[in-house]
Amino acid sequence: MTTATLNTNAGRLNRTLADLGRIGETPQGMMRLAYSPYDIQGREYVMGLMRQAGLELRIDSAGNIIARKPGSDPGLPAIALGSHTDTVPNGGKYDGALGVLGAVEVAQTLAENAHTLRHPLELIVFTNEEGTRFHRWLLGSRAMAGLLEPEDYDAVDDEGVGIAQRLSDIGGDLSRIDQARRYPGELAAYFELHIEQGPTLHQSGTPLGAVTGITGRFVFKVEVQGMANHAGTTPMPNRHDALAAASHLVLATQRLATVDEICRVATVGNMQVTPNAVNVVPGEVALGVEFRDVDTNSLSAAEATLRRSAAEIADANRVSISISQVEAARSVPMPARMQNLVAEAADQAGLEYHSLPSGAGHDAQSIASITEAGMVFVPSVDGISHSPNEFTLPADCANGAQALLNMLLMADSRL
Ligand code: GLV
Ligand code: MN
Ligand code: MN
């Protein structure tokens, strides 16, 4: 059978996207936060679809859903398709969901055409990709790739609940989490379909993207220690105002990417002010800072500049500032032959493609350390993501699923 004879069902894919998009939908956007009741409901919905596609399900000790279909050659390692179904707070309906439901659509298409692959097929739903929970991202895929860090094991979330409880809520088991690990040779390849989450494809009117690599990301927790005092009686020169200092840091962070152009993007995305009362000079502030760039040297250079600026800001504002790194993800290039598969899949579907790097993080960057990983992107309207306004046209979602199927069939015949 040639690879062009199987066609995914655009209507069915977009129906499942709409169905999953209702689970955890609120007026402010999607709230399918990892391990929440909505997340659990979403996972159950997807597991139902996987069973309908004739797949055998298990949940590994890291809480990842793994659905498997045997291949005709029992000696071959599986080809895996995956992504995530958790969302950021007030998130969108396509980030992660498209990759999972695109993979389900591929499995359904194989089943209804009674097409058996040579390789076993695995569909994987990785848990806590977003890292909203515990502020530790890519948790399921890092567990699978053996990339957990000591801090992951005793992570506690903002509700005071530890990772052991959260994992057991979804069928995982922290005490056996090492058993979720997969080793090089166990997977023949991993493919992930995802929305671009940036503007490149939408602006150029290109339906598909071949991902060249995934950006690196450094994250820091910055703590500014000043002194709380009465806002009415404390003269300005006597203050140790942690929030005023933090504000300078926010702007210094922005300048790293704008004026100085040391790294591609630099963001302060959260801030906690203590005691956070209008009549108190702020005594303490904690900020989350992140830099992203495909060049790890740029991330290190940005860190050095941030530390220098922080020392000056601390002096000028009579506060102390400590900076600790909580994430150091290097950029992950995608192998040329995986990029070529996307190009060929696009050709087979009669669609244009562009090669582009990913500015967002993905489970593929973890799995790339145990097998060759390839990613295909579809356009995000106006480049909006991590927002309730995230949108990808139904036709683009369908193109992505077809490209994923084409990639799978080519890989199955070649690897
Ligand atoms: C993951 O969604 C990221 O923040 O890149
Ligand atoms: Mn995602
Ligand atoms: Mn995301």
Side-chain angles (χ1 to χ4, degrees):
M1 175 179 293
T2 65
T3 52
T5 54
L6 295 184
N7 290 309
T8 52
N9 180 330
R12 180 171 55 198
L13 170 65
N14 282 291
R15 272 194 302 279
T16 59
L17 270 166
D19 286 347
L20 183 58
R22 278 188 286 272
I23 301 175
E25 185 178 26
T26 75
Q28 291 75 39
M30 296 303 299
M31 291 296 285
R32 228 168 31 238
L33 309 189
Y35 317 111
S36 66
Y38 284 139
D39 181 37
I40 291 170
Q41 219 181 311
R43 287 160 59 90
E44 274 161 10
Y45 171 72
V46 171
M47 286 192 275
L49 295 176
M50 289 169 155
R51 285 193 197 95
Q52 280 168 26
L55 305 174
E56 248 176 60
L57 263 65
R58 72 183 172 96
I59 293 178
D60 72 10
S61 55
N64 300 310
I65 300 167
I66 303 177
R68 195 170 161 106
K69 176 186 160 86
S72 60
D73 185 341
L76 290 175
I79 299 177
L81 312 178
S83 199
H84 61 99
T85 51
D86 63 318
T87 70
V88 293
N90 305 338
K93 296 185 178 179
Y94 299 84
D95 175 3
L98 176 62
V100 167
L101 294 172
V104 168
E105 178 53 37
V106 165
Q108 278 282 14
T109 304
L110 295 176
E112 69 196 5
N113 288 280
H115 184 102
T116 302
L117 300 171
R118 292 170 58 235
H119 297 73
L121 172 66
E122 284 191 17
L123 268 49
I124 309 178
V125 182
F126 293 105
T127 181
N128 197 12
E129 188 271 351
E130 297 289 4
T132 303
R133 192 71 77 169
F134 312 125
H135 307 286
R136 314 268 323 150
W137 73 336
L138 305 174
L139 206 88
S141 56
R142 287 191 296 112
M144 189 173 285
L147 299 174
L148 288 180
E149 289 158 0
E151 299 79 17
D152 292 314
Y153 292 81
D154 43 37
V156 175
D157 66 23
D158 293 343
E159 292 163 26
V161 181
I163 185 170
Q165 179 61 50
R166 292 299 188 189
L167 281 183
S168 92
D169 290 347
I170 60 163
D173 180 353
L174 182 67
S175 69
R176 295 188 299 109
I177 198 164
D178 294 351
Q179 292 172 15
R181 181 138 185 213
R182 313 284 292 270
Y183 291 88
E186 279 187 47
L187 294 175
Y190 171 79
F191 302 125
E192 184 165 350
L193 162 64
H194 208 284
I195 55 167
E196 183 199 335
Q197 306 184 270
T200 313
L201 296 175
H202 176 73
Q203 276 172 2
S204 62
T206 313
L208 294 174
V211 177
T212 54
I214 300 176
T215 189
R217 176 185 189 230
F218 279 9
V219 182
F220 303 90
K221 180 169 189 190
V222 178
E223 287 170 300
V224 183
Q225 184 68 54
M227 198 174 83
N229 210 337
H230 198 293
T233 60
T234 314
M236 299 310 279
N238 295 20
R239 293 185 177 203
H240 305 270
D241 184 334
L243 184 53
S247 306
H248 285 287
L249 260 176
V250 172
L251 297 178
T253 300
Q254 189 186 44
R255 274 198 302 275
L256 294 171
T258 53
V259 180
D260 305 338
E261 294 184 17
I262 298 175
C263 58
R264 185 175 57 83
V265 287
T267 310
V268 176
N270 64 22
M271 192 184 272
Q272 291 89 41
V273 181
T274 309
N276 205 24
V278 72
N279 56 352
V280 183
V281 177
E284 283 171 36
V285 176
L287 309 93
V289 177
E290 69 152 55
F291 309 143
R292 300 201 197 199
D293 201 290
V294 285
D295 178 1
T296 309
N297 291 331
S298 302
L299 299 174
S300 301
E303 176 185 353
T305 307
L306 178 75
R307 287 186 186 278
R308 268 198 306 279
S309 306
E312 287 164 19
I313 292 167
D315 263 6
N317 292 273
R318 297 173 302 281
V319 298
S320 62
I321 299 179
S322 73
I323 300 180
S324 50
Q325 186 156 27
V326 291
E327 178 81 51
R330 305 175 76 80
S331 65
V332 175
M334 302 275 109
R337 73 169 174 165
M338 294 290 121
Q339 296 181 45
N340 292 340
L341 274 183
V342 182
E344 281 187 65
D347 277 354
Q348 281 179 9
L351 297 167
E352 303 254 305
Y353 78 96
H354 270 177
S355 296
L356 77 173
S358 171
H362 299 289
D363 293 306
Q365 74 197 73
S366 312
I367 301 307
S369 68
I370 51 168
T371 189
E372 283 187 280
M375 284 196 79
V376 55
F377 275 174
V378 291
S380 293
V381 171
D382 294 329
I384 297 171
S385 184
H386 282 185
S387 155
N389 297 326
E390 181 179 276
F391 182 60
T392 292
L393 290 165
D396 285 326
C397 293
N399 288 337
Q402 186 63 45
L404 189 66
L405 174 59
N406 294 354
M407 288 164 71
L408 172 66
L409 294 175
M410 280 185 282
D412 186 50
S413 65
R414 292 180 196 172
L415 296 180

